[in-house]
Amino acid sequence: MSYSRLDFPSGHFSMGEIDLFLEKAIGAKKELDQSAGQSKKPVYLNHICAFGIKTSSFICERKKSATMYVWHFGMNGYVIMGREWIEFDAFCNRLKKELKLNENRRLGVFVHDLSQEFQFMRKLFLFKNVLAENKLYPITARESGGIEFRCSCVLSGCDISETGKLLTRHDIKKPEGDLNRLLVRHCKTPLTEQEMAHCEYDVRVVMAYIDELLEDNGNGLPLAKMGFVRRAYKNACMSYQKDLGKLELYKMSYNLTRLSIAGGLARSNVLHENKRLKNVASWAINSSYPACIALEGYPGLYLEDSYYQMGFGKAMAGKDIASNRPLMELLKGKCCLLSISFAYLEKIDGAPVPYLSANRCFLEGRCLAECGIVKKAEKLTIVCTNVDFEMILAGYSFKSILFKELCCFEKEYLPRALVQEMLTSYQNMVCLKDQSESRPEYEKAKANVNLLYKMMATDFLKDAVEYDYHYHYNGWFDKKVEKLKKLQEYRGSKSRFLFYPWGAFVSAYARRNLREAMIGIGDDCVCADTDSVKFLNPEAHEKLFSDLNSSTEKKIIRASRTQDIPISLFKPKTASGDSKPIGFWEFEWVAEQFKTLGAKKSLAIIGGKAQLSVPVGEKANKYVEQQEDPLEFFTDGMQIPSEHSGCTALTYIHQMSCGAVTDYLGETEQWFELSSVHREPEAYTLAIDLFYVDPAKLFDFIQTDAFFGADELVW
């Protein structure tokens, strides 16, 4: 049977027209399986439903408060609205009766901001099954009567406005202007046609988006966008899944992997901090993490830890590390996860780009850290890969070192099927970019490329988040998982296509690649973050990037030949015919003016427009542009007012609240909520995390050649 696409009649129904709404909405899906729910296995009806609310936040009796003033429910293209929760409760009861819903006969209802809607109605219904990755942010929530609310935002990966732009077969017109959320409204406040149109728009977009997903993918949509990505790779990687069982993960290797996974490298050059700079260039690695996945070597077969004769398990003098040839060959030729402790560690004078971040280390005794970067430490322990260890050796000296734990693997390319599937998506992403008619295909390819690392690095043994209204005043609690049992299931799984330690090395290689560029640029380097670097004197460093790209070109050729993957997938062409090799350094822009206050805190003026690297909205960039001197304004303690920052503060109210509220028209009405969320614009204040230690408390290293053995140090 061909798919029956939804129509979207204009207007909406009121609660007084519920009979007519149900007649038209239920009848819009002719192929409904009337036998659904008769079996013991749960069956979801194929009606496409969406739900959304609009709320007002205000101060009542000196307390933050909020109330819902209108709700909309969409079903198969039709929309019904109400103003109070008691109406929505009555509507749901009627809906469950008409559709004969129960535990085995369920109806999926998509909500684009389920965290808000759930907080408002979590005490209105008895929710028996709630799935969430984090507290307060449910992905699905099923109430006892068979209605299952699902978050559509985690499916699309973007807000409602951007989700509307993904539609290709439905034309849902966005109402003119914006809904002023700061105006206080209550359930009796008259709503204008424009306000009603904004409310209806949200549920229409969600229904249209789900309709197109079902048409493209069939029934059985995943719960989140990651599910589409996982499904694509799993189908492509069936050829090697049976061989993945040879890649074994044990308790120690799991713990070392979990602790060694880290984010991108972010650094700022103190020589250029808080200064007005001109002619600052930005270069970035094209698809940095995916390039590392395609071009580098990763953990393969586990090697038994018989390396204690090389120094593992006992302390060694720092000066003896470089001369320990078996150890260095092991670390260079294999993929290793290490737990290492250093005694009396100090940054080497003149060594570029200090590598150790204080928040990644376990520190004991006295320590000096500037802006979070370790300069000296009495005792320091870190869990890392051998790629990280090489960078530590290049920048620090130390009196002694203790190798506490080691897991070693053979080094090999990732499975061909996995890499080829990612590169095919990369090719599609490059070819379809900036083509509006191919926006959904582009977003799909982009997700397949960029989310692969996230799948690799996801901790599959982390504690679960569960919800039970009777358990806690806010309902949320952590549930410990049986890690050893799950680890055994992971090793024995026939369906897995990834290996957890791979994730630790992807980010390590990316940090190494960025650091190589920073070292090559030298003192001209202003700041860097994850995959991009900002620096002075652009013309003087063009050869550096040419050399780095030549090195990447060699990696591409070697990987293509070894893996038997067409080199065209590594170097696809854009719609205009330009080659875009994966992993190449590319020029981004030159800023007329630039200022950095530390890692991830910079302001660039490009073509007269401000570009902030701090977490604020687009309005904040325009606000900074309007200042008499934007660079002077950009300083420690800079404040951007709430109406310009684009930041929102959420306050979750878990107890019952009620009172009287006066709307923007001057009309007062009683309000009542079992639980709620208060939202308000929040000002942004730039604060620099110095993480400095008082210089008066600095310690001098003991000037002695004495060897610090394992029994002489407290690790």
Side-chain angles (χ1 to χ4, degrees):
M1 183 182 295
S2 61
Y3 186 81
S4 177
R5 192 178 301 166
L6 291 185
D7 293 322
F8 287 88
S10 60
H12 63 268
F13 294 85
S14 66
M15 278 297 291
E17 302 168 301
I18 186 172
D19 292 333
L20 183 59
F21 168 80
L22 291 174
E23 178 185 345
K24 290 184 174 294
I26 295 176
K29 277 289 182 181
K30 301 298 184 181
E31 67 268 32
L32 172 63
D33 181 9
Q34 297 296 338
S35 64
Q38 294 180 6
S39 65
K40 293 183 178 181
K41 185 178 179 180
V43 176
Y44 289 87
L45 306 189
N46 64 344
H47 296 294
I48 298 176
C49 300
F51 173 65
I53 64 175
K54 297 298 181 185
T55 67
S56 279
S57 298
F58 46 88
I59 302 298
C60 182
E61 297 180 358
R62 295 183 294 180
K63 294 181 180 180
K64 292 182 178 181
S65 306
T67 188
M68 182 273 293
Y69 63 84
V70 65
W71 59 264
H72 281 79
F73 189 96
M75 186 175 187
N76 298 332
Y78 295 88
V79 179
I80 187 171
M81 54 106 23
R83 303 298 301 271
E84 299 182 56
W85 284 117
I86 192 172
E87 292 178 311
F88 183 63
D89 185 39
F91 170 77
C92 288
N93 289 332
R94 179 68 184 277
L95 188 64
K96 287 183 277 190
K97 181 179 179 181
E98 290 291 328
L99 296 177
K100 299 180 175 59
L101 301 182
N102 53 50
E103 279 292 303
N104 291 329
R105 183 180 171 89
R106 302 172 184 174
L107 178 69
V109 178
F110 289 90
V111 185
H112 208 71
D113 186 7
L114 184 55
S115 62
Q116 173 181 258
E117 272 79 349
F118 180 77
Q119 177 64 15
F120 271 90
M121 63 184 181
R122 67 181 185 85
K123 296 181 181 178
L124 184 65
F125 301 104
L126 176 60
F127 286 99
K128 299 185 67 175
N129 189 290
V130 177
L131 175 66
E133 284 194 5
N134 301 296
K135 294 178 181 178
L136 303 176
Y137 293 93
I139 298 174
T140 67
R142 177 165 51 84
E143 57 90 42
S144 58
I147 297 179
E148 181 170 297
F149 296 94
R150 295 186 177 185
C151 184
S152 54
C153 184
V154 297
L155 263 181
S156 68
C158 50
D159 62 24
I160 194 69
S161 178
E162 290 298 314
T163 301
K165 296 177 183 178
L166 297 177
L167 302 177
T168 58
R169 298 180 288 278
H170 291 292
D171 185 18
I172 309 297
K173 299 292 185 183
K174 185 176 181 179
E176 295 182 0
D178 293 320
L179 182 65
N180 190 343
R181 300 177 185 275
L182 298 180
L183 295 180
V184 176
R185 302 174 178 89
H186 52 64
C187 63
K188 301 298 183 182
T189 302
L191 299 179
T192 65
E193 289 186 7
Q194 184 187 32
E195 290 172 328
M196 290 299 297
H198 275 284
C199 298
E200 293 175 27
Y201 172 78
D202 292 358
V203 292
R204 291 184 190 278
V205 165
V206 172
M207 284 191 288
Y209 178 68
I210 299 301
D211 189 41
E212 293 190 6
L213 284 183
L214 289 172
E215 186 173 358
D216 294 338
N217 300 277
N219 293 329
L221 294 180
L223 298 179
K225 189 174 185 178
M226 183 73 78
F228 289 112
V229 179
R230 184 174 295 277
R231 183 181 295 176
Y233 281 106
K234 189 173 182 179
N235 291 337
C237 298
M238 294 177 65
S239 59
Y240 72 82
Q241 282 179 289
K242 60 181 180 181
D243 298 325
L244 208 60
K246 299 176 183 177
L247 305 185
E248 297 178 306
L249 189 68
Y250 298 98
K251 181 179 178 180
M252 184 173 71
S253 52
Y254 161 77
N255 284 328
L256 292 178
T257 300
R258 180 177 60 85
L259 293 172
S260 62
I261 289 178
L265 188 67
R267 294 290 184 271
S268 178
N269 190 340
V270 293
L271 297 175
H272 302 300
E273 286 183 3
N274 204 21
K275 294 181 180 178
R276 305 174 70 98
L277 304 174
K278 295 183 179 181
N279 198 34
V280 174
S282 175
W283 282 65
I285 304 176
N286 175 30
S287 297
S288 175
Y289 281 35
C292 294
I293 290 172
L295 304 178
E296 303 291 350
Y298 288 87
L301 291 176
Y302 179 77
L303 301 176
E304 293 297 330
D305 48 350
S306 57
Y307 305 104
Y308 290 98
Q309 67 272 20
M310 298 181 211
F312 288 91
K314 61 182 179 180
M316 302 170 58
K319 61 183 180 180
D320 296 335
I321 290 294
S323 60
N324 191 326
R325 187 173 178 181
L327 170 62
M328 300 311 294
E329 288 180 353
L330 173 70
L331 295 178
K332 285 184 176 295
K334 308 296 181 183
C335 286
C336 303
L337 298 168
L338 312 106
S339 175
I340 320 166
S341 292
F342 300 92
Y344 299 105
L345 174 139
E346 183 175 14
K347 178 184 174 295
I348 299 173
D349 288 338
V353 195
Y355 186 71
L356 290 172
S357 298
N359 60 3
R360 279 202 64 202
C361 304
F362 303 93
L363 299 167
E364 297 180 63
R366 293 164 292 183
C367 171
L368 169 62
E370 294 181 357
C371 298
I373 309 303
V374 175
K375 297 299 180 71
K376 290 185 178 183
E378 203 167 12
K379 296 176 184 178
L380 180 149
T381 300
I382 186 171
V383 178
C384 62
T385 68
N386 54 307
V387 180
D388 300 295
F389 182 61
E390 289 180 14
M391 291 185 276
I392 295 171
L393 288 181
Y396 293 89
S397 64
F398 40 88
K399 288 293 181 180
S400 69
I401 182 172
L402 173 66
F403 292 91
K404 304 175 72 174
E405 289 180 319
L406 162 74
C407 282
C408 194
F409 305 86
E410 291 287 0
K411 188 175 183 179
E412 56 191 34
Y413 284 117
L414 293 179
R416 178 181 180 276
L418 179 72
V419 175
Q420 185 158 344
E421 176 67 18
M422 187 203 69
L423 290 174
T424 301
S425 295
Y426 173 70
Q427 183 183 53
N428 294 336
M429 181 182 77
V430 170
C431 296
L432 299 176
K433 188 175 182 180
D434 298 327
Q435 297 186 35
S436 57
E437 68 278 5
S438 302
R439 173 79 185 272
E441 292 82 2
Y442 167 77
E443 292 293 338
K444 180 179 179 180
K446 183 179 177 182
N448 286 349
V449 172
N450 294 334
L451 294 182
L452 178 55
Y453 165 71
K454 185 176 180 181
M455 283 198 298
M456 288 182 177
T458 298
D459 183 1
F460 61 95
L461 294 185
K462 69 177 183 179
D463 292 337
V465 173
E466 295 199 356
Y467 174 85
D468 185 342
Y469 168 65
H470 301 288
Y471 184 84
H472 193 267
Y473 82 100
N474 66 10
W476 295 99
F477 62 97
D478 293 317
K479 183 178 180 180
K480 297 290 183 181
V481 300
E482 297 181 43
K483 293 191 175 184
L484 289 179
K485 180 181 178 181
K486 279 192 167 291
L487 192 58
Q488 291 173 350
E489 292 174 355
Y490 175 86
R491 287 202 300 268
S493 174
K494 304 297 183 183
S495 61
R496 67 180 172 100
F497 56 93
L498 298 174
F499 188 42
Y500 189 39
W502 292 347
F505 283 84
V506 174
S507 55
Y509 287 130
R511 292 190 293 271
R512 181 204 61 192
N513 293 343
L514 182 65
R515 188 172 180 271
E516 286 178 352
M518 296 170 68
I519 291 174
I521 295 170
D523 287 344
D524 281 341
C525 182
V526 177
C527 60
D529 182 16
T530 307
D531 61 356
S532 66
V533 61
K534 279 73 175 171
F535 56 95
L536 297 167
N537 302 316
E539 300 82 4
H541 302 289
E542 289 181 357
K543 185 178 183 304
L544 168 67
F545 292 104
S546 177
D547 292 342
L548 291 173
N549 286 344
S550 295
S551 177
T552 303
E553 175 79 19
K554 294 177 182 178
K555 291 182 180 181
I556 288 175
I557 294 172
R558 183 166 61 250
S560 174
R561 290 175 178 173
T562 304
Q563 295 272 68
D564 191 24
I565 297 175
I567 201 166
S568 59
L569 292 181
F570 294 88
K571 304 164 67 175
K573 295 184 182 296
T574 64
S576 59
D578 298 324
S579 180
K580 203 169 180 67
I582 193 169
F584 267 39
W585 282 94
E586 296 181 341
F587 169 78
E588 288 190 307
W589 43 256
V590 172
E592 305 95 68
Q593 299 183 78
F594 191 88
K595 185 178 182 180
T596 181
L597 299 176
K600 297 180 179 288
K601 295 179 176 66
S602 63
L603 168 64
I605 306 296
I606 307 169
K609 293 188 176 296
Q611 183 174 309
L612 290 163
S613 67
V614 294
V616 291
E618 183 60 32
K619 287 184 178 180
N621 289 324
K622 295 180 180 179
Y623 179 78
V624 172
E625 288 172 19
Q626 297 168 357
Q627 303 305 309
E628 183 177 347
D629 187 343
L631 264 69
E632 184 69 25
F633 178 73
F634 183 71
T635 187
D636 185 22
M638 175 192 73
Q639 288 193 334
I640 299 177
S642 57
E643 61 268 25
H644 299 288
S645 69
C647 302
T648 302
L650 302 180
T651 302
Y652 283 77
I653 304 166
H654 301 293
Q655 67 274 18
M656 182 186 70
S657 53
C658 60
V661 60
T662 302
D663 66 12
Y664 75 100
L665 298 174
E667 299 296 325
T668 301
E669 182 65 28
Q670 296 294 316
W671 63 275
F672 172 84
E673 297 291 347
L674 293 172
S675 55
S676 54
V677 184
H678 178 275
R679 307 168 66 98
E680 62 180 334
E682 184 178 42
Y684 175 80
T685 301
L686 178 62
I688 300 176
D689 300 321
L690 296 179
F691 201 88
Y692 278 115
V693 175
D694 186 351
K697 297 180 180 178
L698 297 185
F699 61 88
D700 293 323
F701 285 133
I702 300 175
Q703 298 301 313
T704 175
D705 292 330
F707 172 74
F708 290 87
D711 56 344
E712 298 174 85
L713 293 173
V714 180
W715 298 103

